[in-house]
Amino acid sequence: MSSREAQRLADDEGLDLVKISPNAVPPVCKIMDYSKFKYEQSKKEKENRRNQTVVEIKEIRLSMTIDVGDIAVRTKQCLKFLEAGNKVKVSIRMKGRENARAYQGVKVMEDFFEGLGGKAVQDKKPATEGRNIIMFLSPAKS
């Protein structure tokens, strides 16, 4: 139908003629209440923003000479972060002679991960980056 005829139909009903696909041959149009359509779109966007969850990255610092009790405390804290749905960055900063024995820090990280009891997934395995050893964890899918 011609655009004049479509516009006349829309005017008769008190609605708007909205071009859906203006580049098509012939152009595709729809008769609707455009202000109501925009209002419903904004409500949907607001609802989507409200339901959106922001994933934070929490950090836990360990040391190469950490004791069993301290690892238990850090493990408990890490589990709390993971249950809240956050990702966790576990890091060790090596000082002085510790740089020569980076493999011990990696071992501490692996022990820490095993202590989580399968409630986490390694996004990034423990890796030495300069003076730091870093590992990223995310919550395991249940």
Side-chain angles (χ1 to χ4, degrees), residues 19-120:
K19 287 186 178 180
I20 303 297
S21 181
N23 297 334
V25 178
V28 178
C29 298
K30 191 174 186 180
I31 296 175
M32 68 167 81
D33 187 358
Y34 189 68
S35 59
K36 182 179 176 184
F37 173 74
K38 290 290 285 180
Y39 174 73
E40 288 173 354
Q41 285 291 99
S42 68
K43 285 196 60 129
K44 283 181 187 175
E45 287 175 12
K46 261 187 190 175
E47 185 68 28
N48 288 339
R49 277 196 301 269
R50 186 179 308 132
N51 293 336
Q52 190 175 15
T53 58
V54 177
V55 176
E56 292 183 50
I57 297 179
K58 302 287 189 172
E59 183 171 5
I60 291 181
R61 284 209 167 154
L62 304 175
S63 71
M64 288 178 62
T65 58
I66 195 165
D67 197 26
V68 178
D70 294 332
I71 280 194
V73 169
R74 299 289 176 10
T75 303
K76 190 175 178 184
Q77 187 69 41
C78 183
L79 287 172
K80 192 188 314 180
F81 290 151
L82 292 169
E83 286 171 6
N86 297 315
K87 292 188 174 196
V88 179
K89 174 183 176 184
V90 184
S91 64
I92 294 177
R93 170 165 275 166
M94 297 180 287
K95 298 175 234 150
R97 290 185 174 187
E98 292 175 349
N99 285 316
R101 295 186 175 84
Y103 63 89
Q104 287 180 342
V106 172
K107 174 99 172 76
V108 169
M109 290 273 202
E110 289 169 354
D111 293 343
F112 179 78
F113 179 69
E114 288 171 13
L116 295 173
K119 294 185 180 177

Side-chain angles (χ1 to χ4, degrees), residues 4-17:
R4 285 192 185 108
E5 192 177 329
Q7 185 63 50
R8 187 182 53 74
L9 281 172
D11 290 340
D12 288 346
E13 294 181 27
L15 299 172
D16 302 314
L17 183 67

Side-chain angles (χ1 to χ4, degrees), residues 117-139:
K119 294 185 180 177
V121 176
Q122 281 184 342
D123 289 343
K124 183 179 174 210
K125 295 191 181 284
T128 306
E129 297 175 4
R131 291 177 31 180
N132 298 316
I133 303 172
I134 299 173
M135 169 175 68
F136 283 95
L137 303 173
S138 59

